Amino acid sequence: SSVSHELRAPIASVRLMAESLDRGRIPEPERQKGYFAFIVQECRRLSSLIENVLDFSRIEQGRKQYEFEPTDIAALVRETLNLLEPYAIEKGVLLKLHPWTLDPQPSTLELNVDGKAIQQALVNLIDNAIKHSPKGEAVEIELTLQSPEPGGASSEATTCSLSVSDRGPGIPAAEHEKIFERFYRRGSELRRETQGVGIGLSIVKHIVEAHGGRVLVASEPGKGSRFTLE
Ligand code: ADP
C-alpha cells in the first residue's frame, strides 16, 4: 500500500502540472521553468522508485542477476552526482565530492562490477542522505582505494570504498541492523516526515553482497550518518 501511495501522489502532481502547461495556464516563463524542473525531478524519483520495486521483487524471487564488467568507477560516481544534483538543489543541500583518496594512484579506476547496480546502490544512499539532511547542509561523497598491506596475505585484494555522509538526525546503534531489513522504516507510521517504502537499504545490501562486499553504517543521533559500500 505504501508503494501505491508513493506512485500515485507524484503521478497526480506531474499530470496536473503538465496539463496546466499544455493548456497555456502558466504564462510566466519563470513559473514555467519551475514546473518543468519539478516534472523532471519527479520523473527521476519515480524511475528510481520503480527500479527499486522491480529489483526488490526480483531479489525476493531469486531472479536478480548481475552482469559484471570492467567499469570506470570514478566516472560512475561523477555521473550519479550529476543525476542527483537537481534534487539536492531543490532540497537546498550541497553535494560535495571529495578528491579521490587513491593509494597507490592507479592508471585506471576500472573495477569488475555491475555498473548499473552499483549506481542504483549509490543513488539509494545519496537519496536517503539528501532526504534526511537539513537545508543548507552538505552531503559528502568519498571514493577510496586501498592496496593490501605490503607483506600481507597475497590473496588480499584492493579495497574500494564509496561513502556517503550526511548531517541529518542520525540513527541509534540499536537500529543499525534493522534499517537494512525490508520494509523497515524508523519512527511510527503517523509521525513519519519522510517519504519512502523501506526497501532502499535492503536493495543496497543485496547489491553490495552480490559483489562480495559489505555495507557499513556509522551513525549516532544528532551526529549524522555515514554509509560506506566496501
Ligand atoms: P526508505 O528511505 O524508503 O524509508 P530505506 O530502506 O532506504 O527506506 O531506509 C530505511 C530507514 O532507515 C528509513 O526509513 C530511515 O528511517 C532510515 N535511514 C536511512 N538512511 C538514513 C539517513 N541517511 N539518515 C537517517 N535515517 C536514515
Side-chain angles (χ1 to χ4, degrees):
S1 75
S2 59
V3 171
S4 52
H5 173 76
E6 295 273 324
L7 289 174
R8 276 201 192 106
I11 287 174
S13 47
V14 163
R15 185 174 160 190
L16 203 71
M17 287 197 170
E19 277 173 0
S20 306
L21 288 165
D22 186 39
R23 293 188 182 148
R25 289 206 192 115
I26 319 291
E28 309 88 346
E30 267 313 299
R31 262 183 82 205
Q32 281 181 2
K33 248 176 97 182
Y35 273 41
F36 283 127
F38 179 88
I39 291 171
V40 171
Q41 251 331 284
E42 283 300 281
C43 288
R44 205 276 309 155
R45 228 171 48 76
L46 279 167
S47 303
S48 173
L49 174 61
I50 290 168
E51 220 40 67
N52 272 346
V53 171
L54 292 178
D55 256 338
F56 180 76
S57 70
R58 282 185 203 116
I59 290 169
E60 289 287 294
Q61 297 169 2
R63 291 190 290 118
K64 169 86 181 154
Q65 288 183 346
Y66 293 92
E67 279 171 33
F68 298 88
E69 55 185 3
T71 306
D72 181 340
I73 210 84
L76 185 142
V77 172
R78 270 187 240 109
E79 191 189 300
T80 311
L81 290 190
N82 287 340
L83 193 72
L84 293 168
E85 188 75 53
Y87 176 46
I89 292 172
E90 180 200 313
K91 290 274 180 177
V93 172
L94 187 71
L95 280 189
K96 239 161 96 180
L97 182 59
H98 278 244
W100 312 132
T101 318
L102 309 173
D103 172 37
Q105 190 77 36
S107 52
T108 161
L109 256 181
E110 284 205 336
L111 297 181
N112 204 31
V113 298
D114 182 323
K116 199 166 158 261
I118 295 293
Q119 180 166 61
Q120 189 186 0
L122 192 58
V123 165
N124 284 352
L125 291 187
I126 301 176
D127 251 342
N128 278 349
I130 295 174
K131 187 159 77 174
H132 293 281
S133 285
K135 227 184 167 100
E137 287 290 2
V139 165
E140 303 188 30
I141 291 94
E142 216 171 335
L143 174 68
T144 317
L145 270 197
Q146 206 159 24
S147 298
E149 294 286 316
S154 57
S155 61
E156 269 183 71
T158 299
T159 306
C160 174
S161 308
L162 248 175
S163 72
V164 179
S165 315
D166 66 60
R167 301 196 185 100
I171 304 157
E175 286 177 90
H176 285 187
E177 272 183 44
K178 285 204 191 108
I179 53 171
F180 291 96
E181 289 170 12
R182 53 217 266 283
F183 302 126
Y184 185 81
R185 306 196 65 220
R186 296 196 53 232
S188 79
E189 202 58 57
L190 293 174
R191 282 189 299 117
R192 242 172 242 140
E193 286 154 16
T194 58
Q195 297 174 309
V197 291
I199 58 175
L201 287 178
S202 71
I203 295 171
V204 171
K205 187 163 184 267
H206 194 275
I207 291 173
V208 175
E209 289 179 354
H211 284 78
R214 55 183 182 159
V215 193
L216 306 169
V217 52
S219 182
E220 247 183 84
K223 296 205 171 145
S225 310
R226 179 188 180 92
F227 286 84
T228 305
L229 311 180
E230 194 179 273

